[in-house]
Amino acid sequence: MELFLKGFCEAINLLLSGDDGVYSAIMVSVSVSSYSLFTSLFLGIPLGFCLGYFRFPGQRILRTIVDTLLALPTVFIGLMVYTMLSRSGPLGELGLLFTVKAIAVGQVILGLPIIMALTAAQVESLDRRIRETLMGLGASPRDILLATVQEARFGIMAAAVAAYGRILTEVGISMMVGGNIKYHTRTITTAIALETGKGEFVTGIALGIVLLVIALLVNTILSFIKRRWQ
Amino acid sequence: MGSLYRIEDVDFHYGGRSVLSIPEFTLNPGSILGVVGPNGSGKSTLLRLLAFMADPAQGKIFFKGVDGRKITLQQRRNITILPQEPYLLKRDVYENIIYGLKIRGDRQNLNSRVTKVLDLVGLPEQFAKRSWRELSGGEVQRVALAARLILRPEVLILDEPTASVDVSSAQSIMEAVLYARHRWGTTVLIASHDHGWLEQVCDQQIMLLRGRLLDEEVVNMIPGPWMEQADCGRVIKRYPGGEIITLSMQGYNGQDSVALLPAESLSIQIGGHKGINSDSNISADNILPGRITALRESRRKEIFIVEVVAAGSLFRLRTTANRIEIEGLFPGRRVKVILNCEHVRWL
């Protein structure tokens, strides 16, 4: 308990002291995870919508694959992306390894199945009367699609929150393809791993608390938006 | 005046089974048509076809002379349907009401138009700010109707609009429907089990039974099972109370057939004297003791509908105001219903 209290005080000190290393890690974490989330949403919402809304051959198999990908270990994603981006890999020429872009690629692979699976589940659970009601009001197929996505907005927001939580807190991808380079690719989670390895538990806990505060802020903003939309 | 709708040899299948078959039907603009019939008779299917939300397996439906299969989105937007259980978008009442206008790109004077239609369905202006989750069943129905009335549709189709609403909501819906027809010349099609409500609002009624259209406005249905007496060419239905109905087998389709008797085939006997629609050529079996349960005014001038519950079934007959006075045909009165089986038809 004493360790946590010390960690809490240290977290406040770290934030107030304006430590460059800490602020750099926070900025990298927030920027790369936000970028990854938006990319996952951009790709995942339409794909998840199609998966839940339309009926096509192989849909069940695809759904099972997407659901299975929810359990992808971040270290495995890191390994796959590393293999692809390493100098001898098929995308080695891009020179992305040990950059924030490489972390973003891995995090999109992590976030995409979450957005797709949860969006598909939400669309499937929507009231089947929506289509008939909208058609009865003279809606075109495009109007029906747009309105249906809008009806699923709370579920999509929940998917975004879940994906953001997973992306922000992952360590395997950032460590393997980012390389934990200070002021460059070091994120809060890789910094925690490093500090813990050095035996600096208090700093590790302090950084963990910072991570929680960021998650709290994001959820508060989303919850505010949700209330406004209702 | 050209017909608004024309149906030609329409057949609709569901799961390989024909659920609606209408050889011919026309509807003139500006009329209010009631569609009655038991559950599963094809009422909702007919309304969906007339809203062009589904295509018939066979046959054609013409809307203002245009084949339904070639109808454009713009033409379809002249027709709006209120489903039996309307769905409200997860937005406030205002957004729900203006949705149809927004997709048509019409954004003029939205506030005043919303206030006007809310008033039409008997809801106050402040209601516009309410969330979809704060509405009762009757309010959902009225908001959904308001969302259709704001479009000033050429055709308004209502599927069981009073099924889950209270008396005051049903009254508001009726007034709104009559207003739409009066002010905008809207043609209204209504499917309902509420015969009394339909009688007050509709110009004409059609009856559907097992997907077939019956032309009589008031038809009494007597479901099976029937016992056959092939030697004398008759079938018998025996009620739990011991009452017996004997009908001719002509046109009979099996023990689960439904016998159809027009209102004119029934008469009422009071205190041993024959009353309305009396006929001397009646089988002794076809006399059922019962009680008058309702008396309703038909839209046909000076014609009233008498409802009698006899042997646990509802029978409906037509009569005049004069006969009601003379015979004392008021609700609560014990009577005998006499069935004349000469006009029986089978389904």
Side-chain angles (χ1 to χ4, degrees), chain B residues 34-271:
Chain B
V35 184
V36 295
N39 289 335
S41 58
K43 300 190 297 293
S44 295
T45 304
L46 174 63
L47 296 190
R48 288 186 76 243
L49 289 175
L50 293 174
F52 300 106
M53 292 175 69
D55 285 328
Q58 286 171 34
K60 288 179 177 175
I61 299 173
F62 292 93
F63 178 67
K64 295 203 284 190
V66 178
D67 184 350
R69 286 191 177 84
K70 294 173 186 163
I71 207 162
T72 63
L73 178 64
Q74 294 310 318
Q75 287 168 317
R76 190 162 62 79
R77 281 182 170 170
N78 293 322
I79 306 161
T80 184
I81 181 168
L82 178 67
Q84 190 172 349
E85 291 176 10
Y87 176 86
L88 288 190
L89 298 168
K90 293 187 179 72
R91 307 171 195 185
D92 60 24
V93 166
Y94 180 87
E95 286 293 327
N96 267 287
I97 292 176
I98 64 166
Y99 177 81
L101 292 176
K102 273 169 77 176
I103 59 173
R104 286 163 174 79
D106 183 353
R107 290 168 188 270
Q108 286 186 332
N109 308 321
L110 292 181
N111 291 348
S112 59
R113 289 158 82 180
V114 168
T115 306
K116 173 74 187 164
V117 288
L118 278 174
D119 183 49
L120 265 181
V121 296
L123 293 173
E125 185 183 351
Q126 298 81 351
F127 223 81
K129 292 175 191 152
R130 285 240 197 138
S131 166
W132 58 277
R133 60 174 75 226
E134 296 170 339
L135 307 179
S136 69
E139 287 164 349
V140 166
Q141 197 80 18
R142 286 199 262 177
V143 168
L145 179 60
R148 278 126 189 105
L149 289 174
I150 202 168
L151 304 172
R152 297 191 176 188
E154 201 171 339
V155 179
L156 175 63
I157 301 176
L158 308 175
D159 192 358
E160 305 275 2
T162 58
S164 55
V165 301
D166 59 16
V167 177
S168 98
S169 293
Q171 183 64 29
S172 299
I173 292 169
M174 182 194 295
E175 286 168 10
V177 164
L178 293 172
Y179 180 90
R181 197 266 289 270
H182 175 68
R183 285 297 299 268
W184 311 318
T186 300
T187 304
V188 188
L189 290 86
I190 311 167
S192 179
H193 291 292
D194 191 340
H195 293 275
W197 189 86
L198 278 181
E199 292 282 356
Q200 292 178 60
V201 76
C202 294
D203 304 324
Q204 62 177 116
Q205 288 184 39
I206 54 171
M207 183 175 213
L208 277 172
L209 193 62
R210 296 184 178 178
R212 306 290 188 275
L213 196 61
L214 308 176
D215 46 7
E216 290 90 351
E217 188 179 329
V218 181
V219 177
N220 294 283
M221 291 177 290
I222 308 171
W226 299 92
M227 286 183 295
E228 295 172 19
Q229 290 192 325
D231 53 333
C232 58
R234 306 188 85 77
V235 289
I236 291 176
K237 180 181 171 86
R238 199 180 293 275
Y239 285 95
E243 302 90 343
I244 292 172
I245 292 177
T246 307
L247 298 175
S248 163
M249 276 181 87
Q250 198 174 357
Y252 169 74
N253 302 317
Q255 65 167 6
D256 290 325
S257 301
V258 177
L260 304 176
L261 286 167
E264 290 70 22
S265 298
L266 273 60
S267 54
I268 285 181
Q269 193 179 55
I270 302 158

